[in-house]
């Protein structure tokens, strides 16, 4: 037991022990009043009188408590509070508004107890009332903030619905346009091939111009195909269900499918999936991701250098990381890193392409719950790391 050190206690002012009970009642920090069972006011403290702006003579034995309440409060008191007092003998923390002498209102929190006489008959109701003006203002501010938040949420919902409709309309337009343009461009390419076969040009610059036209038409076809691929992918709001995908078989299948690319014949592929031979992701999504990364590695080879492409896995914090590394042309990430995954953004215009592949890679990996990181050095190569969910 700790010994009380009386030396450090402040001296007690004996005036604090001589409080006047009447003064405590009259000037308490809350309102006090007493009513007869019918509600007639018989006693009020000065604090409550000061709040309401009445004199004692204007209220005592002249008005009932319900007459000081607003219309709604009067109905609640007579229909709920008074019967509950008779039944239980008390009520706790009921919110009312009192009408002041000047017509304004005062929000209060009421507590009441019913006192009975020796025969058990109701004698007097004693009440305490607490001024909750600040609390009511705070509640009203909360309600206003809630209403504003709900209005903003409804506005955002309407805007999202509108954007969804606009995006759907744009998707339909792009898909229709790309589909309808594809056949005329193919027809134009066929006519151009026939022109090259049958026409004779005497201008020495004609051959170069023909190559330029052919390249432009090929670029148009590539862009149309890219648009179609993007719209088809975006029309699928959810990726396919995640499944266990065996990487070695899938990667070998994709490498065989890319045999038509010029660099494929001399490329060296190194596959190492020992750390994570199986990943969980939508198989079509993973197939698209690897196809785009491996085809890019073959297309963007460094001239005069034999392509070497390594596909491997590692574990980081128990999660698989799939890497695709090449020794190709590389990218200036300091200059182009922020644009790397933008739609139709291309960084090697001398190589045919649509600028869609990396956009799809990033989108599909994010849909699967992962992320993509890139490391690259110009003239040395690029590494894509796909951080996949567990």
């Amino acid at each position: 037991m700790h010994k009380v050190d009386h030396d450090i206690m402040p001296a007690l002012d004996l005036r604090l022990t001589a409080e006047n009970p009447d003064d405590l009642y009259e000037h308490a920090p809350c309102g006090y009043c007493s009513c007869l069972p019918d509600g007639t006011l018989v006693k009020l403290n000065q604090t409550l009188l000061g709040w309401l702006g009445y004199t004692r003579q204007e209220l005592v034995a002249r008005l009932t408590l319900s007459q000081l309440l607003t219309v709604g409060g009067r109905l609640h008191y007579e229909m709920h509070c008074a019967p509950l007092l008779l039944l239980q003998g008390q009520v706790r923390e009921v919110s009312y508004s009192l009408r002041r002498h000047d017509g304004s209102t005062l929000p209060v929190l009421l507590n009441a107890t019913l006192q009975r006489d020796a025969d058990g008959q109701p004698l007097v109701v004693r009440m305490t009332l607490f001024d909750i003006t600040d609390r009511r203002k705070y509640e009203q501010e909360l309600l206003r903030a809630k209403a504003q938040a709900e209005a903003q949420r409804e506005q955002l919902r309407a805007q999202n619905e509108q954007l969804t409709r606009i995006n759907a309309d744009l998707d339909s337009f792009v898909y229709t346009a790309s589909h309808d343009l594809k056949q005329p461009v193919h027809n134009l390419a066929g006519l151009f091939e026939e022109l090259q076969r049958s026409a004779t040009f005497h201008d020495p610059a004609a051959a170069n111009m023909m190559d330029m036209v052919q390249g432009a038409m090929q670029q148009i076809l590539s862009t149309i195909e890219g648009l179609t691929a993007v719209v088809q992918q975006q029309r699928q709001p959810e990726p396919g269900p995640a499944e266990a995908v065996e990487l070695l078989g899938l990667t070998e299948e994709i490498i065989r499918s890319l045999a038509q690319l010029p660099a494929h014949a001399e490329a060296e592929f190194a596959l190492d999936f020992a750390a994570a031979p199986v990943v969980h992701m939508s198989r079509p999504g993973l197939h698209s991701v690897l196809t785009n990364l491996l085809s890019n590695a073959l297309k963007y080879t460094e001239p005069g250098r034999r392509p070497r492409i390594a596909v491997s896995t590692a574990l980081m914090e128990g999660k698989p990381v799939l890497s695709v590394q090449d020794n190709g042309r590389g990218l200036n990430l300091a200059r182009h890193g922020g644009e790397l995954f933008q739609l139709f953004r291309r960084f090697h215009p001398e190589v045919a392409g649509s600028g869609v592949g990396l956009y799809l890679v990033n989108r599909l990996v994010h849909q699967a719950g992962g992320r993509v990181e890139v490391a690259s050095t110009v003239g040395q190569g690029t590494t894509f790391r796909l951080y996949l969910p567990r």
Side-chain angles (χ1 to χ4, degrees):
M1 181 179 295
H2 295 287
K3 182 180 179 181
V4 178
D5 189 348
H6 294 283
D7 293 338
I8 64 173
M9 299 292 289
L12 179 64
D13 189 338
L14 295 180
R15 288 175 298 177
L16 298 178
T17 66
E19 289 279 6
N20 185 335
D22 291 336
D23 185 66
L24 284 174
Y25 174 83
E26 291 294 340
H27 300 98
C30 62
Y32 285 113
C33 72
S34 299
C35 307
L36 297 179
D38 65 0
T40 301
L41 294 164
V42 293
K43 191 173 183 179
L44 301 92
N45 73 342
Q46 190 58 46
T47 300
L48 182 56
L49 291 170
W51 287 352
L52 298 178
Y54 285 99
T55 64
R56 204 178 304 273
Q57 291 75 17
E58 290 175 306
L59 297 180
V60 172
R62 291 179 177 272
L63 296 180
T64 64
L65 175 68
S66 62
Q67 289 177 293
L68 291 178
L69 300 175
T70 58
V71 175
R74 187 179 309 166
L75 289 172
H76 183 274
Y77 181 82
E78 293 175 352
M79 301 296 293
H80 175 76
C81 189
L84 196 62
L85 270 171
L86 289 173
L87 182 66
Q88 296 184 350
Q90 64 178 10
V91 291
R92 291 286 179 266
E93 296 189 346
V94 184
S95 178
Y96 290 115
S97 289
L98 299 179
R99 293 187 297 109
R100 292 190 176 99
H101 189 273
D102 61 7
S104 63
T105 58
L106 172 72
V108 295
L109 199 64
L110 178 145
N111 292 275
T113 58
L114 175 65
Q115 305 296 313
R116 298 179 182 271
D117 61 18
D119 297 326
Q121 296 300 311
L123 179 65
V124 66
V125 178
R126 293 174 179 168
M127 300 182 179
T128 58
L129 301 107
F130 296 89
D131 181 353
I132 57 170
T133 301
D134 292 338
R135 170 177 161 176
R136 184 69 57 81
K137 288 179 180 178
Y138 177 68
E139 290 173 347
Q140 291 172 347
E141 286 296 327
L142 286 178
L143 289 174
R144 277 195 292 270
K146 180 182 178 182
Q148 290 176 353
E150 290 177 349
Q152 291 174 350
R153 184 168 60 249
E154 180 62 25
Q155 184 179 7
L156 287 173
R157 185 192 63 79
Q159 290 175 344
N160 285 337
E161 287 182 354
Q162 184 180 15
L163 286 174
T164 299
R165 288 193 300 270
I166 291 172
N167 284 336
D169 291 344
L170 285 173
D171 284 350
S172 296
F173 170 77
V174 172
Y175 184 78
T176 302
S178 61
H179 182 272
D180 292 348
L181 285 172
K182 188 180 296 185
Q183 189 58 47
V185 173
H186 277 299
N187 292 341
L188 184 60
L191 290 171
F192 181 72
E193 288 179 4
E194 181 61 25
L195 179 64
Q196 283 183 306
R197 188 185 64 80
S198 60
T200 302
F201 299 93
H202 300 289
D203 189 339
N208 186 46
M209 293 178 63
M210 288 292 187
D211 290 341
M212 292 174 63
V213 172
Q214 190 172 24
M217 283 194 296
Q218 185 59 44
Q219 184 61 45
I220 292 173
L221 279 172
S222 179
T223 300
I224 290 173
E225 290 171 358
L227 282 171
T228 303
V230 169
V231 173
Q232 286 176 336
Q233 198 276 329
Q234 295 202 147
R235 282 185 167 185
Q236 302 172 1
E238 295 291 335
E243 56 184 294
V245 182
E246 194 269 323
L247 284 170
L248 181 60
L250 178 66
T251 307
E252 289 177 339
E253 173 190 329
I254 293 171
I255 290 172
R256 287 193 297 269
S257 72
L258 298 175
Q260 79 281 3
L261 294 179
H264 186 280
E266 60 177 8
E268 292 182 5
F269 292 92
L271 309 181
D272 180 6
F273 304 118
V278 174
V279 297
H280 287 80
M281 184 175 170
S282 161
R283 185 180 181 87
L286 185 56
H287 188 284
S288 179
V289 167
L290 282 174
T291 299
N292 277 291
L293 292 179
L294 291 173
S295 63
N296 280 353
L298 290 170
K299 286 194 297 184
Y300 296 104
T301 58
E302 180 71 11
R305 181 187 299 163
R306 185 174 186 178
R308 289 183 172 84
I309 302 168
V311 188
S312 62
T313 55
L315 289 176
M316 181 171 291
E317 298 179 352
K319 296 181 180 181
V321 181
L322 176 60
S323 299
V324 178
Q325 181 179 20
D326 64 55
N327 63 341
R329 304 185 182 208
L331 295 163
N332 185 342
L333 293 181
R335 181 178 178 184
H336 300 300
E339 311 166 77
L340 194 59
F341 299 114
Q342 292 181 7
L343 189 59
F344 299 127
R345 194 69 180 87
R346 301 181 64 239
F347 309 102
H348 298 289
E350 70 279 6
V351 179
S354 63
V356 171
L358 291 184
Y359 168 83
L360 290 176
V361 166
N362 189 54
R363 181 180 175 87
L364 288 166
V365 172
H366 275 272
Q367 281 184 333
R371 72 180 195 278
V372 183
E373 289 186 359
V374 185
S376 187
T377 302
V378 175
Q380 296 184 25
T382 302
T383 301
F384 288 88
R385 293 185 179 89
L386 315 181
Y387 292 79
L388 302 175
R390 194 186 303 274

